[in-house]
Amino acid sequence: MQRVCFLLKVREDRAEEYKKRHAEVWPEMREALSAAGWHNYSLFLRPDGLLVGYLETEDFEAAQRAMAETDVNARWQAEMAPFFESLDGARPDEAMKPLTEVFHLD
């Protein structure tokens, strides 16, 4: 199982709304993530907007491709894009760049 951690930056003035949106993630989005192989997926948000994401998957690139092929993901990413800083024209899910794991206590 591959462990993936990534960072994104939520606009500080949109952080509260971002949290509210994630308290009510669409059921079809949750189902699509699970079907695409996203397991133990968690998001953590610091007050200044730093977003830390974590998930476990067999193959992160394959899991990203599987989600990119779904209509629900396209709709979700379009709604979430205005919440983020520094996407450089990418969708939020395309801007997820895994950090290098340097230690894991197993």
Side-chain angles (χ1 to χ4, degrees):
M1 187 67 68
Q2 182 182 9
R3 290 179 300 277
V4 178
C5 184
F6 61 86
L7 303 175
L8 291 172
K9 184 71 168 70
V10 173
R11 296 179 189 282
E12 195 170 343
D13 64 332
R14 305 287 311 268
E16 288 305 313
E17 177 66 19
Y18 184 83
K19 288 191 292 188
K20 287 178 186 175
R21 296 279 185 103
H22 282 80
E24 300 174 1
V25 174
W26 307 331
E28 62 268 31
M29 182 62 170
R30 298 171 67 97
E31 291 167 12
L33 286 163
S34 293
W38 295 59
H39 306 290
N40 202 20
Y41 184 31
S42 301
L43 296 172
F44 304 87
L45 185 62
R46 204 166 65 180
D48 68 357
L50 180 67
L51 182 75
V52 177
Y54 174 84
L55 66 121
E56 296 170 354
T57 187
E58 292 297 325
D59 180 337
F60 184 55
E61 289 179 8
Q64 282 186 304
R65 280 192 309 273
M67 282 305 295
E69 294 172 0
T70 67
D71 176 65
V72 69
N73 186 63
R75 289 185 286 121
W76 182 264
Q77 298 306 321
E79 284 205 17
M80 292 298 108
F83 287 89
F84 290 94
E85 294 180 8
S86 306
L87 292 179
D88 298 323
R91 295 185 328 204
D93 60 334
E94 296 168 334
M96 295 175 177
K97 304 296 181 212
L99 299 174
T100 300
E101 182 177 335
V102 296
F103 177 78
H104 175 75
L105 179 62
D106 194 5

